[in-house]
Amino acid sequence: MLQHPPSSRPPVLGRVVDRQTRCVHYRTELDIVAIRFACCGEYYPCHLCHSEVVGHESAQWPIEARSTRAVLCGVCGAELAIAQYLEAAECPSCASRFNPGCALHAHLYFEVDPSSCAAEDCDADPVVTTVSAASSPTAPSSST
């Protein structure tokens, strides 16, 4: 497992609020991954951070790229292959739990086999969390 010491982790772009890659959109205790986007090769905490920063459309990682290391654990810095991440409930390196809700919008990052999901699951809009000005940057936010 490729693991970066904290000082040499790949940069995570966007509106990141802590070292564990939480952002202003998704910042619960379990929101600890960043995704390297197929279109630009840069890590972002979420699709909203990516679209706020870049001037291009996002692209999904194709199914045949499942062995590509494109998911960063914000706790330990391990870079996971897409297939590892999609099959895991926690980081295989540090055992930190991942947000199971992320599966609802995995199709925004990774091409999915149409037969592997119900149409309503793959077409659903993700739930976006909001942050009030009085909130702590690492406190869980409420869904809207």
Side-chain angles (χ1 to χ4, degrees), residues 2-15:
L2 181 62
Q3 195 168 357
H4 293 275
S7 62
S8 68
R9 286 184 185 200
V12 178
L13 308 175
R15 295 180 7 182

Side-chain angles (χ1 to χ4, degrees), residues 103 107 112-123:
H107 67 284
V112 294
D113 179 355
S115 65
S116 70
C117 63
E120 64 274 2
D121 290 340
C122 289
D123 293 334

Side-chain angles (χ1 to χ4, degrees), residues 12-113:
V12 178
L13 308 175
R15 295 180 7 182
V16 182
V17 296
D18 71 11
R19 275 294 281 160
Q20 295 185 343
T21 75
R22 291 176 189 91
C23 69
V24 297
H25 308 105
Y26 299 99
R27 56 189 200 95
T28 70
E29 182 179 324
L30 300 178
D31 291 318
I32 58 166
V33 299
I35 308 292
R36 185 161 49 102
F37 277 70
C39 49
C40 56
E42 301 288 353
Y43 276 102
Y44 289 89
C46 77
H47 62 100
L48 297 169
C49 284
H50 178 268
S51 62
E52 288 175 354
V53 173
V54 301
H56 61 263
E57 292 290 319
S58 62
Q60 299 167 316
W61 286 99
I63 290 174
E64 47 282 350
R66 291 287 198 254
S67 63
T68 304
R69 293 188 185 277
V71 179
L72 177 71
C73 174
V75 174
C76 71
E79 289 184 273
L80 285 62
I82 295 166
Q84 282 179 297
Y85 172 69
L86 292 175
E87 296 169 4
E90 61 186 29
C91 176
S93 181
C94 70
S96 295
R97 290 183 8 161
F98 296 146
N99 188 341
C102 290
L104 296 174
H105 50 95
H107 67 284
L108 297 172
Y109 309 103
F110 313 113
E111 188 177 78
V112 294
D113 179 355

